[in-house]
Each structure stands twice: as structure tokens, then as C-alpha cells.
Amino acid sequence: METNDTGKAEKFFKEFGKSMDQFLVELKEAGTRVEGNMQERYEELKVAAEKLKKEAESKERWKEVEASLKKAGEELNNAVKSAFKKP
């Protein structure tokens, strides 16, 4: 009777070991896929960050242009007023 119980326990642990091996293989494959997906997402975010950085720099440049044009417009307005001012 002990031999029969020992055989059942050995069979159980043998099957359990095979299941664990298969689980570890699948886990490693899943980890590799996730790592690939995360790397891909990181690259996408890096590109988006560069694009955003360029847009922000461009907006700063246009703000400077706008301020300069506004100042030039005000000076032109003052010059025209002075030129046609009645004495």
C-alpha cells in the first residue's frame, strides 16, 4: 500500500513539475512580449516629446515676432500721429 501511495505522490509531483516548467516558459515569453511593447511605447513617447518640444520652441519664437510687430505697429502709429498732428 505504501508503494501505491508513493507512486501517486511521485506522479503528482512529476506532473506538477512539468506544469511549472511550462508556466515558466509561458511567463518568459509573456515578459519578452511586454518588454517589446513597452520599448515600442517608449519610442513613441520619445517622438511625441520631441515634437512637443519643437512646437513649444516655435511658439516662443512666434510670441517674440508678435511682440516685435506690435511694438513696430505702435511706433508707426505714433509716427503717423506726429506727422499729421495739427500745430
Side-chain angles (χ1 to χ4, degrees):
M1 192 162 174
E2 270 183 45
T3 307
N4 194 16
D5 288 339
T6 303
K8 287 182 181 178
E10 287 176 357
K11 184 178 178 182
F12 169 77
F13 283 114
K14 185 177 180 181
E15 291 299 318
F16 180 74
K18 287 181 182 178
S19 296
M20 285 301 296
D21 288 342
Q22 181 63 30
F23 174 73
L24 291 175
V25 168
E26 290 174 7
L27 184 63
K28 186 175 179 180
E29 289 173 357
T32 303
R33 282 192 308 269
V34 168
E35 183 180 357
N37 289 342
M38 294 301 288
Q39 184 65 31
E40 185 179 313
R41 183 68 179 137
Y42 172 74
E43 292 300 323
E44 290 173 2
L45 289 173
K46 212 163 79 170
V47 169
E50 283 298 318
K51 183 178 177 183
L52 185 61
K53 182 179 175 185
K54 286 180 183 177
E55 286 180 9
E57 289 172 354
S58 178
K59 287 182 182 179
E60 281 297 316
R61 189 186 78 193
W62 286 110
K63 283 182 183 178
E64 291 175 11
V65 170
E66 182 182 2
S68 295
L69 288 174
K70 188 174 182 179
K71 185 177 178 183
E74 290 172 355
E75 289 179 7
L76 181 61
N77 186 29
N78 290 338
V80 170
K81 283 182 180 179
S82 292
F84 295 103
K85 187 177 184 183
K86 294 184 181 177

